Amino acid sequence: LAAWVSVASVPDTCMATFSARPAMRIKDMLPAGVSAKDAVRNTVKSGGVTLLTSPNACGKSTVLKSVGAAVVMAQTLGMARAQGMHFQPFAHIESVIVLHDDVGKASLYQMELERTCRIVEQVASGERTLLLIDELFNTTNHHEGTAAAYGLVKYLSTCENATAFISTHLHGLETLVDDKTCGGMHMTCA
């Protein structure tokens, strides 16, 4: 109880509200571990797949980590570091922010394929799943990476139990935003 009261007294913390349908909105979310006065706030909305695009070092990975932290805080403590949060809770959270190769056993590309198979299996289980994926298929050539990422995003966009935030530099995926297969969030550097 003391921990809950301590967190609730932190400025810019809101009580999360829960939805009966698969949707998420986090208004003016603060990055995990950054003071409110130094933070760039982001608002995210998703009911399915959202692609995060921007030049390097503009905050895509920070948004992924912040969404993860907000969801974990909201599901455990009922609050988040944001001005407002409304979402349907998740049974499973899959976060792939940094991939490491297994020298002598698997290349980074093989690790990405294994990660993708794990994601597909998890989503196929039917459990409500949050996916936070940083730089999807960036370990292979651009053409094959774009094709593999395109297929995964297309698949995930058909799964009502999945909410995914995927950062990417693969420009071929922008057509999925253009044709409304998934949502998009373009970030700019200040």
Side-chain angles (χ1 to χ4, degrees), residues 9-184:
S9 66
V10 173
D12 297 303
T13 300
C14 72
M15 298 300 294
T17 58
F18 301 100
S19 173
R21 47 186 207 80
M24 175 188 294
R25 177 175 164 74
I26 309 173
K27 183 178 182 224
D28 291 335
M29 172 180 60
L30 289 164
V34 177
S35 72
K37 74 177 189 68
D38 298 325
V40 173
R41 297 169 184 266
N42 289 288
T43 296
V44 295
K45 294 184 263 185
S46 184
V49 179
T50 300
L51 293 178
L52 305 174
T53 60
S54 75
N56 286 327
C58 287
K60 295 181 303 293
S61 299
T62 300
V63 168
L64 293 175
K65 293 172 190 175
S66 299
V67 168
V71 168
V72 170
M73 275 186 72
Q75 288 193 189
T76 55
L77 299 172
M79 59 187 74
R81 290 196 68 211
Q83 292 298 311
M85 181 170 180
H86 184 73
F87 77 114
Q88 183 183 50
F90 298 94
H92 185 80
I93 300 170
E94 180 78 28
S95 171
V96 186
I97 305 294
V98 178
L99 257 179
H100 298 286
D101 59 350
D102 195 354
V103 178
K105 294 183 182 175
S107 69
L108 281 174
Y109 180 66
Q110 289 170 314
M111 298 296 288
E112 279 196 305
L113 290 176
E114 288 175 17
R115 167 184 74 179
T116 302
C117 289
R118 191 175 64 242
I119 287 168
V120 169
E121 288 171 4
Q122 177 57 46
V123 171
S125 75
E127 290 183 326
R128 182 96 174 95
T129 302
L130 173 64
L131 302 167
L132 304 168
I133 305 170
D134 199 16
E135 298 298 338
L136 185 61
F137 285 106
N138 69 334
T139 63
T140 191
N141 70 68
H142 185 78
H143 179 73
E144 289 177 2
T146 300
Y150 187 94
L152 180 61
V153 171
K154 232 9 202 177
Y155 168 73
L156 292 174
S157 70
T158 66
C159 301
E160 292 183 16
N161 62 309
T163 296
F165 291 90
I166 302 170
S167 73
T168 186
H169 286 285
L170 300 173
H171 298 294
L173 299 182
E174 292 168 354
T175 60
L176 293 168
V177 175
D178 294 341
D179 72 9
K180 307 287 189 239
T181 297
C182 64

